[in-house]
Amino acid sequence: MDTKQLQEYLDTAVMLAKEVGPAFKDGFWRTGQFAATSDFAAEDKQGNQADCVTAVDCFIEKTIFTRLRQIYPSHKFVGEETTAETGNEYKVTDDPTWIVDPVDGTNNFVHHFPYTGISIGVAINKEPVVGVVYLPILDELYTAARGMGAHLNGQQLPLFKPPVLTTPLSLAQCSMVAEHGSARCAKIMKSRFDSFARLLLDKEHGGACLQNLRITGAAAPDLALVAKGVAEMYWECGPHAWDFAAGVVLVLESGGAVFDGAGWWGSNVPCEDRVPQPLNIWNRKIVAVRHVPDLPGQPGSGREIQKQLVAELLETVEDIPYTPDGSH
């Protein structure tokens, strides 16, 4: 893949994220063009009280896509708000595709919790190759492109490398980020929280004894934590491509790994097939694991440890069925 072209896409994504940053801050603080309640215009998304959209989401996405269509008229565009309006009906192609979440963590945004930001990813051949996650309130700009590494405000990621306590060899040595999601039907909630319970339960009672579990409210920043090295893992079923396309590039370029997040607990997947599978960003199920350095004298051991941690997690969590994004 042309490095010069990827750098151009990355520069464009950074430019646009910074360009809409002031509007994002106005919306967060209810100042400037979003000072009035009527200007902010928060409402339930498609009748779901657990999810919402604001005028800021729509303004930022429209601004970004208007600029991108001027620069790259032949490219494809997938955005949370415009896609939601069409009922998730769009065709996934191999063409360069800009995947945008204008306000990732909208509930955080509405409630003045600063863990929220702008996510801009680029996929080519259906795989993410460029990612920018900008958290304006925290002044954190995460950037990555395939083969170019990942950075936070210019510093190479991960910022923090094992051993923090020690190289994690099991979930009992891991900190994990996850989300409860916006689908609130009883079946999905029970499945998700049963999985959380097994992850946290001590080993004497059949659990994984996960060291800690954090629910922060925003997928792209969650993946930034994994890339940064302050969380070992991230797992979620149900997010859309725009929630994590950019974050996936951050994780990969920081030395981490990503896999399909469909759990094996209670499934009929044969034991011999219980091997972590490659991630398809359109399938809405993901597990990510941070950079793990090789053990002394054991080249390749870091990658094997990543796979072992992912396999242990997938053995512990249930699959939650979701309709894939787009049509293929």
Side-chain angles (χ1 to χ4, degrees):
M1 194 167 296
D2 189 332
T3 300
K4 183 178 179 181
Q5 187 68 77
L6 288 180
Q7 184 65 59
E8 179 188 311
Y9 293 162
L10 180 61
D11 291 344
T12 300
V14 169
M15 174 190 71
L16 292 173
K18 289 182 175 180
E19 185 176 303
V20 297
F24 188 100
K25 291 179 180 178
D26 272 348
F28 185 88
W29 297 116
R30 316 295 198 268
T31 57
Q33 62 180 310
F34 300 110
T37 301
S38 58
D39 295 331
F40 189 72
E43 60 183 38
D44 297 340
K45 182 181 287 187
Q46 296 182 320
N48 183 356
Q49 291 181 317
D51 201 3
C52 66
V53 61
T54 74
V56 187
D57 298 71
C58 299
F59 174 83
I60 289 177
E61 184 170 309
K62 182 178 180 180
T63 300
I64 290 174
F65 281 165
T66 297
R67 297 278 278 113
L68 284 173
R69 287 188 173 99
Q70 293 169 346
I71 303 170
Y72 304 112
S74 66
H75 287 191
K76 301 295 190 297
F77 306 95
V78 175
E80 177 171 14
E81 307 316 329
T82 49
T83 301
E85 289 176 1
T86 60
N88 201 24
E89 295 177 2
Y90 59 92
K91 185 170 179 59
V92 177
T93 73
D94 290 334
D95 296 335
T97 302
W98 293 78
I99 306 170
V100 173
D101 190 340
V103 180
D104 189 46
T106 303
N107 281 333
N108 289 351
F109 183 83
V110 168
H111 293 283
H112 297 288
F113 186 64
Y115 202 66
T116 174
I118 303 153
S119 177
I120 304 175
V122 180
I124 298 176
N125 297 323
K126 302 184 181 72
E127 295 185 1
V129 294
V130 170
V132 170
V133 176
Y134 180 35
L135 312 182
I137 309 306
L138 300 178
D139 193 28
E140 293 185 348
L141 177 64
Y142 294 86
T143 60
R146 181 174 289 183
M148 301 181 194
H151 299 83
L152 165 59
N153 294 341
Q155 287 186 277
Q156 187 166 4
L157 298 176
L159 293 185
F160 307 103
K161 301 178 181 179
V164 177
L165 298 176
T166 183
T167 296
L169 301 177
S170 76
L171 294 183
Q173 296 167 303
C174 290
S175 170
M176 191 179 96
V177 282
E179 298 299 335
H180 50 59
S182 60
R184 300 299 171 83
C185 71
K187 183 177 180 180
I188 288 179
M189 293 303 291
K190 183 180 187 306
S191 177
R192 197 182 302 276
F193 280 95
D194 283 352
S195 293
F196 289 164
R198 285 190 298 272
L199 286 167
L200 293 167
L201 195 65
D202 62 41
K203 290 183 179 292
E204 288 73 16
H205 294 88
C209 201
L210 184 72
Q211 202 160 64
N212 73 53
L213 174 65
R214 301 167 181 166
I215 294 177
T216 60
D222 283 348
L223 287 161
L225 289 178
V226 175
K228 191 177 182 180
V230 298
E232 274 68 47
M233 304 185 76
Y234 163 76
W235 169 71
E236 192 175 0
C237 291
H240 293 277
W242 50 79
D243 292 311
F244 58 76
V248 162
V249 189
L250 297 179
V251 171
L252 291 174
E253 288 301 313
S254 66
V258 294
F259 299 92
D260 183 89
W264 302 328
W265 176 272
S267 76
N268 57 5
V269 177
C271 291
E272 61 270 20
D273 294 336
R274 295 193 174 197
V275 178
Q277 297 299 308
L279 174 70
N280 180 332
I281 65 165
W282 311 98
N283 280 351
R284 303 180 64 189
K285 300 172 185 182
I286 178 173
V287 56
V289 58
R290 61 162 294 164
H291 164 74
V292 176
D294 289 340
L295 298 173
Q298 299 182 47
S301 58
R303 289 298 185 190
E304 289 305 311
I305 291 170
Q306 289 175 329
K307 292 178 183 177
Q308 291 168 17
L309 292 172
V310 170
E312 184 183 358
L313 184 144
L314 294 177
E315 289 282 8
T316 310
V317 301
E318 300 174 33
D319 184 24
I320 303 175
Y322 280 92
T323 302
D325 283 333
S327 59
H328 300 258

